[in-house]
Amino acid sequence: MSDSKLAGQFFDAAIGLLQRVRDEGAADIEAAGTLVADTVTEGGRLFAFGAGHSSLAAQDIVYRAGGLALMNLLTVPGVVGVDVMPATLGSALERVDGLASAVLDSSPLRSGDLLVIISLSGRNALPVEMAMNARALGVRVIGVTSVAYATETKSRHVSGTYLKDHCDIVLDSRIPVGDAELTVDAIEAPFAPASTVVTTALLQAVMATAAGALADRGIEPPLLRSGNVDGGHEWNGRVMTEYGDRIFYRR
């Protein structure tokens, strides 16, 4: 099989997943965007968290051109997965009971805030407890996960539950279990994961919905502009000054 044919098959698979998420998840995306807009309107703060490669999608909506300036990254040292040595440590920490409590206790999260939790499988202790404990604090939770894992895998949390069970809104990425889209006879393992492509697009759709909802209410969405265009730094400085009490990534 030619390399170009495999590349085309991956694009087709990713596009197919994006179309499914767009068409089948439209109502949930609308609800999530509205919840983000509600939180901004009510003076709440926005946070995003993801472990392992799910952290890539969380980082994608924090401090970037065209994004909401109020979105902050909730960090957990060591769980990004590829920024620690050995990389397997990040995966191990996701399964540690009680870690989420320690993180939330030392974080600025408070009642009325919103936390986006991204976990492809949604089965590990850290994202499950993060959602449970955040909601107990009065924080609203949007979970981004593949619901298929809840029927095809076993939860690693003592409760036997998954991320999807502890959210105000669940966004189903519809990624198949195993996160690999391609198989060929000559290669033993499936390959070409698409979860990052789909999850980042899904969250950007939510952020776009939120910006539109704010504008519909007569509120200027607190968006950042690129620092590589003329006037970008001045624009961003104004936004960060106006919303400085809700922005934590510059402290």
Side-chain angles (χ1 to χ4, degrees):
M1 178 176 289
S2 68
D3 295 341
S4 61
K5 186 173 182 180
L6 287 173
Q9 287 183 356
F10 175 74
F11 279 118
D12 288 343
I15 291 168
L17 284 165
L18 289 169
Q19 289 174 332
R20 282 194 63 197
V21 169
R22 179 195 63 190
D23 298 340
E24 299 173 17
D28 293 327
I29 292 170
E30 182 74 20
T34 299
L35 185 55
V36 172
D38 289 345
T39 304
V40 173
T41 302
E42 296 163 6
R45 293 90 59 83
L46 307 175
F47 296 85
F49 166 76
H53 284 90
S54 292
S55 68
L56 297 175
Q59 293 175 61
D60 191 61
I61 55 173
V62 175
Y63 185 56
R64 67 167 306 153
L68 290 174
L70 275 60
M71 184 61 72
N72 301 278
L73 188 66
L74 182 64
T75 58
V76 181
V79 305
V80 172
V82 293
D83 70 338
V84 294
M85 292 295 288
T88 51
L89 175 61
S91 298
L93 289 173
E94 275 194 82
R95 304 174 189 177
V96 174
D97 293 329
L99 180 57
S101 295
V103 171
L104 290 176
D105 287 346
S106 60
S107 79
L109 273 163
R110 66 189 185 191
S111 180
D113 290 347
L114 173 68
L115 174 60
V116 178
I117 301 177
I118 306 146
S119 173
L120 177 60
S121 72
R123 68 188 296 221
N124 289 312
L126 182 56
V128 173
E129 290 185 357
M130 189 79 73
M132 294 174 67
N133 294 349
R135 293 184 81 192
L137 292 172
V139 175
R140 291 168 287 194
V141 174
I142 296 173
V144 187
T145 187
S146 173
V147 173
Y149 276 83
T151 58
E152 299 182 37
T153 68
K154 182 179 179 181
S155 171
R156 290 184 175 135
H157 188 253
V158 293
S159 68
T161 61
Y162 298 77
L163 170 61
K164 73 174 185 64
D165 299 317
H166 306 284
C167 302
D168 295 276
I169 297 172
V170 176
L171 299 175
D172 186 0
S173 64
R174 292 169 170 80
I175 299 295
V177 173
D179 191 17
E181 294 300 318
L182 302 184
T183 57
V184 296
D185 292 339
I187 302 176
E188 186 172 353
F191 57 101
S195 60
T196 303
V197 173
V198 175
T199 304
T200 53
L202 177 54
L203 284 173
Q204 290 298 347
V206 170
M207 296 302 112
T209 301
L214 288 168
D216 289 343
R217 302 174 190 185
I219 300 172
E220 180 184 351
L223 298 168
L224 295 173
R225 289 189 173 182
S226 172
N228 295 314
V229 299
D230 292 341
H233 288 298
E234 291 76 13
W235 172 281
N236 293 342
R238 177 182 64 81
V239 172
M240 289 187 179
T241 297
E242 182 176 353
Y243 291 95
D245 61 335
R246 293 195 256 176
I247 297 173
F248 297 91
Y249 49 77
R250 61 179 188 164
R251 299 178 185 178

